[in-house]
Amino acid sequence: MLCVAIAYSITYASVCPCHSGKSTLACSLGRELHSRGKLSYVLDGDNLRHGLNKNLGFSPEDRTENIRRVGEVAKLFADAGLICIASLISPYRKDRDACRAMLPDGNFIEVFMNMPLEVCEGRDPKGLYKLARAGKIKGFTGIDDPYEPPLNCEIEIQQKDGVCPTPNEMAGQVASYLGEKGFLQEQ
């Protein structure tokens, strides 16, 4: 049973939620695991909001319910023997901790995508940051809604000397951690 949560964790003077590389990392990690013969499934927050969670908004209560539902689905995948990769904006520590509590100790791997706000805004093809800064979108994580950074994430991914790691480098970092912890051994 394993869930890799790629939660964009934010300290808001220097980090942002959207376009941090969560989905890119999730897909790259999924391909890396496949190449090693491991079954995995990516639960992407954007995709889930078009189906399972389409009735939820972005209020604190709806964000909590969104994360709870994804945690329950991730647990089902993990129970079935897949490595579940959940890629979400999960702004509240208590929600991430609740998902962690659903799995046996050591089977929830939190990946902190610690990217500067400027990087995220530069990757924003929909112009969401601009709209949030103009006050047209309310409750936007990192602009007018808080993010509670993780206290004990297993992996932190950040720029090195002002350069973002490539998707393959990020996936390699996570896969190395999984290998060191014995999750990639033959069953």
Side-chain angles (χ1 to χ4, degrees), residues 14-55:
S14 63
V15 188
C16 62
C18 290
H19 307 98
S20 63
K22 297 176 306 299
S23 297
T24 301
L25 169 55
C27 291
S28 294
L29 179 58
R31 284 189 298 275
E32 174 67 22
L33 294 174
H34 178 77
S35 76
R36 295 176 183 218
K38 295 295 174 184
L39 293 176
S40 66
Y41 193 83
V42 174
L43 294 173
D44 184 78
D46 289 341
N47 294 336
L48 290 164
R49 282 196 173 267
H50 293 298
L52 178 67
N53 295 332
K54 68 181 174 185
N55 64 322

Side-chain angles (χ1 to χ4, degrees), residues 1 67-75 79 95-104 108:
M1 236 192 279
I67 298 306
R68 187 197 69 77
R69 289 181 190 178
V70 173
E72 293 289 350
V73 171
K75 183 179 183 301
D79 286 346
D95 298 337
R96 297 188 306 270
D97 289 345
C99 288
R100 183 182 294 276
M102 292 178 192
L103 296 167
F108 181 92

Side-chain angles (χ1 to χ4, degrees), residues 96-118:
R96 297 188 306 270
D97 289 345
C99 288
R100 183 182 294 276
M102 292 178 192
L103 296 167
D105 285 346
N107 285 15
F108 181 92
I109 312 300
E110 185 173 5
V111 179
F112 175 19
M113 297 292 295
N114 188 356
M115 295 293 154
L117 184 59
E118 306 79 45

